Amino acid sequence: MDDRDNERVRIGIVGCAEIARKLCRVIALTPNAVLQAVGSRSLDKAKFFAAENGLSSTGVRLYGSYKEIVEDPSVDAVYLPLPTSLHVQWAVAAARHKKHVLLEKPVALDTTQLDQILEACSSNGVQFMDGTMWLHHPRTLSMRKLISNPQLFGYLDYVYSSSTFCAPPEFLESNIRVKPDLDSLGALGDLGWYSIGSILWAVGYELPVSVMALPQVTCNSAGVILACSASLFWDRSPGCQEPTEPASATRRTVATFHCSFMAHMSMDLTIIGSNGSIHVKDLAIPFEENSASYEFTPLAKFVDLHIGWSAKPERTGILSEIPQEALMVQEFASLVRDIKRKGLPPESKWPEISRKTQLVLDAVKKSIDLGYSPVYL
């Protein structure tokens, strides 16, 4: 065995959902992780998944139940791409067997369930991370540096995010994301997770004062959300003002998002500051796997007679040596390895990000249930 194999974090995939194929591929591209096992509800399904993904002759262990893989002592960590309704059961079971947990989003049906998962991970000393891959792309760090520059970007005023795709009829009829017993949050959980997460990222994960869903939510006959929108509001504390403003001034930040299974593909993020604005058109999944870009427009004004702008968008391109999903697995595996080898505690940043995203998602759902009334956090 190569000495490097002893350094790699051994990952088991619990469930053979379509998205598991992507993680199966990128684990092979990740230098500090290796696929150790795959478990499904039946051994035949696990074997079929292995054959489809070129694993049949690789020595990857195959199991016909989720229980077997979370109990396998040779597995260090698990990736869980299960229906959201099963997350709390199997994430808690994995943590209790000392497995580090990479959990597909949405991570839970509500914050109460997520807290059970996070408590199990914390009490067993295992790392938790959700599967929001765009956070690990180098483009995200580049944008963060720009937003954090008060001279270039200024005060954060407004954020807009959309996450949509036009699902075919068979998806709307039979996909687990429209089934109330499997993924009852529908588009809000599946796509809204990206939008809410991107807005919170833009504001530095400061929770909003209030959240209000916008009217005209679209649901299927079972009551699962197919499309919805919401607004989020912040009263920023003194100290966030522009230099020319009085110290007592209160600046307000507003954000809106739209998520839908019934609209053309969009993964937009717009962040508007007092000195400049950022625009992204492919946030969650870049147009190309090995590169991504964003546009920044600095200090734009209308020219004389208002016949044009004084500044044009500046495009910044960012290369990525490996896919963002592989970067996510690499970061996760690095944290796991530090816990195992150095005795470090789990990194708290990732569960905190997930919990804040879930809190806002819950507030949007509550606002919808209350007839679009504001919900205060």
Side-chain angles (χ1 to χ4, degrees):
M1 178 181 289
D2 192 316
D3 288 341
R4 291 174 298 176
D5 291 338
N6 295 323
E7 299 292 323
R8 293 177 179 174
V9 172
R10 300 165 297 180
I11 297 177
I13 296 178
V14 182
C16 297
E18 181 67 20
I19 196 170
R21 296 179 59 207
K22 179 185 284 191
L23 259 290
C24 178
R25 169 179 173 259
V26 299
I27 289 172
L29 302 175
T30 306
N32 59 349
V34 62
L35 183 60
Q36 180 73 5
V38 173
S40 187
R41 289 174 295 172
S42 73
L43 187 57
D44 285 343
K45 288 183 178 180
K47 289 179 177 179
F48 181 77
F49 180 89
E52 269 200 324
N53 293 278
L55 304 176
S56 298
S57 60
T58 61
V60 172
R61 300 183 179 193
L62 303 177
Y63 293 114
S65 72
Y66 303 153
K67 184 174 183 288
E68 288 176 283
I69 191 169
V70 300
E71 293 181 352
D72 183 347
S74 76
V75 171
D76 300 313
V78 292
Y79 167 62
L80 296 161
L82 301 171
T84 310
S85 60
L86 299 179
H87 282 188
V88 65
Q89 176 186 355
W90 291 107
V92 168
R96 287 175 177 170
H97 284 87
K98 308 300 182 181
K99 305 292 187 273
H100 303 270
V101 176
L102 179 59
L103 186 58
E104 194 50 64
K105 56 80 196 165
V107 291
L109 295 176
D110 54 43
T111 305
T112 300
Q113 286 193 0
L114 177 56
D115 283 345
Q116 294 179 51
I117 295 171
L118 298 184
E119 168 57 29
C121 289
S122 177
S123 61
N124 286 281
V126 298
Q127 184 65 51
F128 174 90
M129 182 185 287
D130 76 50
T132 306
M133 55 280 189
W134 68 268
L135 287 172
H136 304 269
H137 197 288
R139 171 174 65 180
T140 306
L141 178 59
S142 178
M143 293 192 297
R144 168 59 68 206
K145 291 178 179 177
L146 185 55
I147 294 171
S148 301
N149 188 318
Q151 283 73 42
L152 285 175
F153 184 76
Y155 173 84
L156 177 60
D157 182 75
Y158 176 71
V159 186
Y160 171 74
S161 177
S162 70
S163 187
T164 65
F165 68 87
C166 192
E170 56 269 22
F171 177 102
L172 297 175
E173 292 172 5
S174 59
N175 191 273
I176 64 170
R177 286 168 281 184
V178 298
K179 297 295 184 181
D181 57 332
L182 297 175
D183 270 295
S184 60
L185 295 171
L188 175 59
D190 183 48
L191 301 175
W193 186 271
Y194 290 130
S195 290
I196 292 169
S198 66
I199 290 170
L200 289 175
W201 173 85
V203 301
Y205 293 102
E206 177 186 342
L207 286 172
V209 173
S210 63
V211 173
M212 185 170 65
L214 304 182
Q216 304 305 318
V217 171
T218 302
C219 298
N220 64 12
S221 59
V224 176
I225 295 169
L226 302 181
C228 69
S229 306
S231 293
L232 290 67
F233 305 90
W234 289 260
D235 285 332
R236 311 306 291 275
S237 60
C240 296
Q241 297 82 9
E242 295 293 305
T244 56
E245 293 181 305
S248 60
T250 299
R251 295 295 300 258
R252 291 178 170 82
T253 298
V254 179
T256 59
F257 76 86
H258 179 66
C259 58
S260 175
F261 290 149
M262 307 177 72
H264 184 259
M265 180 79 75
S266 73
M267 292 182 174
D268 295 348
L269 176 64
T270 297
I271 311 170
I272 300 177
S274 54
N275 294 339
S277 59
I278 290 176
H279 299 273
V280 183
K281 297 179 180 178
D282 58 347
L283 180 71
I285 301 176
F287 294 132
E288 298 179 354
E289 189 173 57
N290 61 351
S291 66
S293 66
Y294 62 91
E295 291 183 345
F296 175 64
T297 307
L299 293 171
K301 298 179 180 179
F302 293 128
V303 299
D304 191 32
L305 300 181
H306 289 200
I307 58 173
W309 289 36
S310 63
K312 294 181 179 180
E314 301 170 355
R315 180 183 177 275
T316 298
I318 306 293
L319 297 177
S320 180
E321 293 184 1
I322 58 176
Q324 61 180 2
E325 294 85 1
L327 291 169
M328 175 182 70
V329 174
Q330 184 174 8
E331 170 69 10
F332 177 68
S334 293
L335 294 172
V336 171
R337 191 165 59 180
D338 284 345
I339 293 169
K340 291 177 60 180
R341 292 175 58 194
K342 301 178 183 179
L344 297 180
E347 171 59 65
S348 62
K349 175 179 76 171
W350 298 108
E352 288 171 1
I353 287 173
S354 300
R355 192 174 191 276
K356 288 183 176 181
T357 307
Q358 187 75 51
L359 281 169
V360 175
L361 192 151
D362 287 1
V364 175
K365 182 64 167 61
K366 184 176 181 180
S367 178
I368 293 171
D369 294 341
L370 293 175
Y372 313 111
S373 297
V375 173
Y376 295 90
L377 283 79

